[in-house]
Amino acid sequence: MARLIGLDWLGRHFGRRVRLAQHDFQLPRLPQAFRNFRLLHITDPHFDMDPDMAQAIINICNDVEVDLCVFTGDYRAGNDGACESIYPSFRSLIGGVKSRYGFWGILGNHDGTEMLEPLEATGLKILLNESVDLPIKGQILRLTGLDDVNCFYTEQADIALDADQSDFAIALVHSPEMASRAARAGYGLYLCGHTHGGQICLPGGKPLITHLHCEKDLYAGRWQRGDMTGFTSPGAGMSGLPYRFFCQPEVSLITLTGKD
């Protein structure tokens, strides 16, 4: 249909215009050790959807220096089958980013457990309904990563969120659908994607589809649930159709600041 009305080229062009977007998040409960902490958040790259798009994501991340790099799922275009072409893209991306405390991620609804070993061979550490504590300047940053809750929810996701929080905790979830639950558990920051910001939107960014079962108002951008700040990235890649309209793809560079 898009080809027939002359929008095919334009939709593909907009889909490849990935940007490095900078966000400053002022968090009221941020410990001193994590002030000016920089995170690179990458989600929904769907590396094998479009080779030009994959290379654009790699290029935009090259030589970026951060404290922590996190991924929140959907690394391939399909839901199953071979996806060997995504792993060289991962190696190139991770090889170009300087991340002081490493590379951590979760699986999305497009990602199967058979991808765990090859993903971790690239240098990405996957969290499966579990947490890791990172000692930073005498305080503990807890990362909790959940399996996809949109398509594959289990009670293990709730159990993982109930773990002790340490000094400051960040939830990595593929979709925003656990936002209220994470806020009640005391998390300070929630990073997610899944929606692609709508990917194909009306002028002004109104999505036609969000692919959310709940928390539908959290389809894009920064939001609050109680004391917890959340961010739903529009994602770096495309899914389904190789187009974007009125919704620019991004890799998100987030700086955490305190609120005195």
Side-chain angles (χ1 to χ4, degrees):
M1 179 64 74
R3 188 183 301 276
L4 293 177
I5 59 177
L7 295 178
D8 178 77
W9 177 87
L10 194 60
R12 291 175 185 272
H13 171 70
F14 287 146
R16 295 168 182 159
R17 291 182 59 199
V18 60
R19 63 174 180 163
L20 183 65
Q22 300 195 34
H23 304 274
D24 291 337
F25 287 178
Q26 190 178 63
L27 308 181
R29 297 186 291 117
L30 187 70
Q32 188 66 39
F34 310 121
R35 298 197 176 194
N36 298 315
F37 196 85
R38 284 159 52 90
L39 300 103
L40 190 67
H41 176 211
I42 304 168
T43 192
D44 301 278
H46 297 282
F47 280 119
D48 51 345
M49 182 78 178
D50 182 326
D52 291 335
M53 178 193 68
Q55 190 59 51
I57 296 169
I58 293 166
N59 291 346
I60 205 81
C61 295
N62 195 43
D63 291 330
V64 172
E65 297 187 24
V66 291
D67 294 296
L68 184 66
C69 182
V70 297
F71 294 78
T72 52
D74 276 8
Y75 309 122
R76 66 180 177 186
N79 291 316
D80 52 33
C83 57
E84 295 303 313
S85 64
I86 75 169
Y87 304 121
S89 296
F90 254 104
R91 291 189 187 92
S92 295
L93 192 157
I94 287 176
V97 174
K98 299 176 178 64
S99 178
R100 185 176 183 184
Y101 296 100
F103 301 84
W104 299 86
I106 58 172
L107 299 179
N109 60 292
H110 281 257
D111 309 318
T113 54
E114 73 279 4
M115 298 168 62
L116 281 174
E117 186 174 340
L119 280 173
E120 293 201 323
T122 70
L124 178 64
K125 298 173 184 177
I126 298 292
L127 297 171
L128 298 172
N129 288 326
E130 59 186 330
S131 299
V132 61
D133 290 340
L134 303 177
I136 299 172
K137 298 180 181 178
Q139 293 186 296
I140 298 298
L141 173 65
R142 169 155 291 195
L143 285 181
T144 298
L146 303 188
D147 292 352
D148 172 58
V149 297
N150 181 264
C151 295
F152 305 110
Y153 169 80
T154 70
E155 64 180 12
Q156 293 301 314
D158 287 285
I159 293 170
L161 286 175
D162 279 335
D164 291 340
Q165 303 286 297
S166 300
D167 296 300
F168 186 72
I170 299 175
L172 305 179
V173 191
H174 182 56
S175 82
E177 292 163 302
M178 293 291 279
S180 295
R181 179 70 180 80
R184 291 195 301 271
Y187 281 74
L189 181 64
Y190 185 114
L191 299 177
C192 61
H194 178 63
T195 66
H196 292 234
Q199 185 169 312
I200 297 176
C201 297
L202 299 174
K206 180 68 173 178
L208 300 178
I209 300 173
T210 65
H211 296 290
L212 296 176
H213 304 305
C214 62
E215 305 282 16
K216 294 183 180 182
D217 58 320
L218 309 184
Y219 64 86
R222 180 176 174 172
W223 42 265
Q224 287 291 138
R225 281 290 184 268
D227 290 334
M228 184 184 77
T229 294
F231 179 70
T232 306
S233 169
M238 296 173 283
S239 181
L241 296 172
Y243 311 127
R244 277 190 185 257
F245 291 102
F246 303 106
C247 181
Q248 187 172 3
E250 73 171 61
V251 171
S252 307
L253 181 58
I254 299 168
T255 301
L256 306 184
T257 62
K259 191 173 184 179
D260 297 323

